[in-house]
Amino acid sequence: MSKTGDAPEQPQAPLIEHLIELRSRLLRAVVAILVIFLGLYAFANDIYTFVAQPLMALLPEGSQMIATEVASPFLAPFKLTLVVAVFIAVPYVLHQAWAFVAPGLYDNEKALALPILASSVMLFYAGAAFAYYVVFPLLFQFFTQTGPENVAVMTDINAYLNFVLKLFFAFGVAFEIPIATFLLIASGATTVESLSKKRPYIILGCFVVGMLLTPPDVISQSLLAVPMYLLYEVGLLFGRLARRKKQQREEEEE
């Protein structure tokens, strides 16, 4: 009876160990975010001021934002600081995820996964920086100059935060297109030639995504769609280079 009762426990032991390790990795990631958040919270208002600068720089002198809800002056900087903490902690969080899955990968998979992981983080940061330094000034200049003359621009701090966070996320994800394109080619799911023939559909898809992820105006949609298409071409370029290296390696082995 004891052997029968013990038999099902054998395959469960590795699973329990993996779950314990997963819990440990998640706790480390959460603690890292919490520590960064606590360190940044004293500068919450300064962080919000920095994020609001692209709009405030275009408003008439003496203009200011408003808070239409009682808790907004506290919640908006609090929410932004938490998002920034997660943003900063992303490399460490991904490192924990990598440490969890790496033992189950082959050497060739590890050699490919690590550069892709690092590139994904850098591209996401690049997308957010592009949104802040390029898109926001152009977008807010358009918004502030096209309204009626007798309308004063007094943006609610919570509405502004939701707006810019949406754009940060949209451009961060859009800048991952080279990675997605490269992975599709490297995995054999498609080929460079096949993707090259679908350029008209890709261009249309970029503008559709831009329409869905950005405010309903042509400028912001184009500012997202055009970089998406250019990044798609970058992904095709890396796909061609990877295929060429693979062919050279196969020729050398022969």
Side-chain angles (χ1 to χ4, degrees):
M1 293 295 292
S2 61
K3 290 182 179 180
T4 305
D6 294 339
E9 296 179 5
Q10 296 301 323
Q12 291 180 7
L15 176 60
I16 294 174
E17 292 177 1
H18 289 318
L19 291 176
I20 292 174
E21 183 182 0
L22 177 61
R23 183 187 64 179
S24 175
R25 299 290 181 186
L26 289 174
L27 286 175
R28 291 179 185 178
V30 171
V31 169
I33 294 173
L34 182 60
V35 169
I36 296 173
F37 171 77
L38 293 176
L40 292 176
Y41 184 70
F43 308 97
N45 292 335
D46 295 329
I47 295 173
Y48 191 94
T49 301
F50 174 78
V51 173
Q53 184 59 32
L55 175 61
M56 297 303 298
L58 296 170
L59 295 180
E61 187 177 354
S63 299
Q64 59 184 3
M65 289 188 173
I66 62 173
T68 57
E69 298 178 2
V70 176
S72 291
F74 165 76
L75 290 179
F78 180 92
K79 178 181 177 181
L80 177 59
T81 305
L82 182 59
V83 172
V84 172
V86 175
F87 190 74
I88 295 175
V90 162
Y92 181 77
V93 173
L94 291 179
H95 170 71
Q96 293 300 316
W98 168 256
F100 179 73
V101 302
L105 300 177
Y106 295 106
D107 290 338
N108 60 335
E109 293 175 335
K110 290 181 181 179
L112 181 64
L114 196 56
I116 289 177
L117 192 63
S119 301
S120 299
V121 175
M122 297 306 298
L123 284 171
F124 189 88
Y125 285 165
F130 180 81
Y132 182 84
Y133 289 105
V134 178
V135 177
F136 287 0
L138 295 175
L139 195 60
F140 295 147
Q141 185 176 19
F142 171 76
F143 286 158
T144 55
Q145 293 182 356
T146 55
E149 293 183 0
N150 58 343
V151 174
V153 180
M154 300 178 67
T155 305
D156 175 65
I157 60 173
N158 198 45
Y160 176 82
L161 177 61
N162 293 333
F163 178 83
V164 297
L165 288 181
K166 181 179 179 181
L167 287 182
F168 276 137
F169 179 78
F171 279 88
V173 172
F175 270 58
E176 300 294 332
I177 288 179
I179 301 297
T181 306
F182 175 79
L183 288 176
L184 287 173
I185 297 172
S187 64
T190 186
T191 61
V192 176
E193 291 75 13
S194 177
L195 290 176
S196 299
K197 293 178 181 178
K198 296 177 181 177
R199 279 192 176 94
Y201 303 102
I202 298 298
I203 294 174
L204 177 61
C206 289
F207 277 92
V208 170
V209 172
M211 177 185 66
L212 295 175
L213 295 181
T214 60
D217 65 276
V218 177
I219 293 181
S220 57
Q221 293 171 10
S222 300
L223 288 174
L224 179 59
V226 173
M228 284 176 65
Y229 174 70
L230 295 177
L231 291 167
Y232 168 77
E233 293 292 342
V234 172
L236 287 181
L237 176 62
F238 280 106
R240 291 190 183 95
L241 294 175
R243 184 183 62 179
R244 190 174 304 169
K245 289 183 178 180
K246 182 178 180 181
Q247 291 175 349
Q248 292 176 352
R249 187 164 53 248
E250 290 176 351
E251 292 175 358
E252 292 175 356
E253 291 177 355
E254 292 177 357

